[in-house]
Amino acid sequence: FCDGITAKTDLVDVVQVDLILGSAATDAELSRLRIFKDIANSDLTPKAASAFESDSIEAGLMTLVVKGDSSYFEGTFGYRVNVEDVITIHIMEPTTTKFDQVKALLETAGEDNQLSTGIDGDGYLLNGAFRFQVDRAQQRAYLEPSAGLLDICSFNPPRPTQNVPFPTTCVIRRDIRRQAYPNRNGAFSTAVEIPAQTTTDRHANSVFFTTFLGDSDYAYDLGAKFSQVVADEYALNGRYLRAFMINPGYEW
């Protein structure tokens, strides 16, 4: 982990990110999906939030593709790209009240981590919704929701019950935590990595699809096909070209 000012600004020179929305069984279908290209941002300036609509949970599948520059990562040092944390926000309400509040936080400028005495050791706000919690001893930083976001949305709330059918309309969820895929008791992981292009075993990706599309041959088969299509499109190698699928639904 390195959070010097130059490192934050120049990271996008060697790593970029695409976001794929939806799923596909063939190359032709993949070409018709909505793909946000080169969305990585490390200069700490607020960015306008984008919105899109989908008519099914399948169309809302999110795939995060991390693209390291081969001219940098194919050197002799064996560097790799890791995704440390992913947090998603799930808003379930008929109005846009909470959406507008969250959007305003995401578009709020973050803090600079440089003090007059050097680099701030405690962490800093990336924007109004998220902050970096820095562990200097381990040389790692962790993504955390800000106090402002926690005032609007609940972090991993309990399941709805008969007495409380809608405990909250805005949920914050960890999909990747410290390079792992957490799950709560009785629930499934909500993220999974797509294996490298040369990998033939795509069982984990097939099972992942059944967790949000239902346990069927169609879901199992689509998971394997989509995994291979993305792996081929981006020549995934498990080191600096990597991709992660994120379940758009909540585990309730």
Side-chain angles (χ1 to χ4, degrees):
F1 165 69
C2 179
D3 67 340
I5 300 300
T6 301
K8 287 186 301 184
T9 302
D10 294 343
L11 179 62
V12 292
D13 290 341
V14 294
V15 180
Q16 258 301 344
V17 174
D18 286 1
L19 179 64
I20 304 171
L21 301 176
S23 61
T26 65
D27 295 339
E29 291 178 1
L30 180 65
S31 69
R32 293 193 293 269
L33 295 182
R34 187 166 185 181
I35 302 177
F36 293 93
K37 292 185 175 292
D38 299 338
I39 62 173
N41 167 40
S42 61
D43 60 7
L44 300 186
T45 57
K47 301 295 181 182
S50 300
F52 77 99
E53 296 181 359
S54 64
D55 55 7
S56 69
I57 192 170
E58 181 180 333
L61 174 70
M62 297 176 287
T63 302
L64 196 69
V65 183
V66 183
K67 308 175 299 180
D69 187 332
S70 61
S71 64
Y72 178 81
F73 287 96
E74 283 295 345
T76 59
F77 298 103
Y79 293 142
R80 62 184 289 118
V81 176
N82 292 320
V83 175
E84 192 74 24
D85 293 284
V86 171
I87 296 177
T88 52
I89 305 171
H90 302 255
I91 301 174
M92 301 160 282
E93 62 177 3
T95 65
T96 62
T97 303
K98 288 189 180 292
F99 175 82
D100 290 340
Q101 292 175 332
V102 171
K103 182 173 180 288
L105 289 179
L106 290 170
E107 294 178 353
T108 300
E111 298 174 329
D112 197 336
N113 68 323
Q114 189 173 37
L115 304 176
S116 59
T117 55
I119 297 295
D120 186 357
D122 296 327
Y124 47 90
L125 286 171
L126 296 174
N127 50 40
F130 295 102
R131 71 183 308 272
F132 258 152
Q133 183 66 43
V134 179
D135 186 332
R136 295 290 169 188
Q138 295 188 15
Q139 296 184 351
R140 296 174 74 174
Y142 307 110
L143 188 65
E144 300 287 348
S146 70
L149 182 59
L150 290 172
D151 286 340
I152 301 171
C153 305
S154 299
F155 202 179
N156 286 335
R159 287 177 175 271
T161 64
Q162 186 174 1
N163 295 330
V164 187
F166 296 102
T168 180
T169 59
C170 184
V171 172
I172 309 168
R173 184 184 75 191
R174 282 194 186 277
D175 299 285
I176 300 177
R177 176 176 174 79
R178 304 186 183 187
Q179 302 178 33
Y181 312 106
N183 57 28
R184 294 187 288 171
N185 292 336
F188 44 79
S189 296
T190 54
V192 67
E193 183 171 5
I194 296 178
Q197 182 181 21
T198 56
T199 300
T200 57
D201 183 3
R202 303 201 171 266
H203 173 71
N205 288 174
S206 292
V207 171
F208 181 76
F209 263 62
T210 66
T211 64
F212 62 88
L213 292 183
D215 189 4
S216 66
D217 290 341
Y218 167 78
Y220 189 90
D221 185 56
L222 180 60
K225 288 180 177 177
F226 179 65
S227 172
Q228 189 66 62
V229 165
V230 173
D232 290 343
E233 174 68 19
Y234 289 93
L236 301 183
N237 58 21
R239 189 162 70 84
Y240 63 85
L241 296 170
R242 305 177 68 182
F244 304 83
M245 295 188 288
I246 301 170
N247 183 342
Y250 204 68
E251 57 258 52
W252 295 338

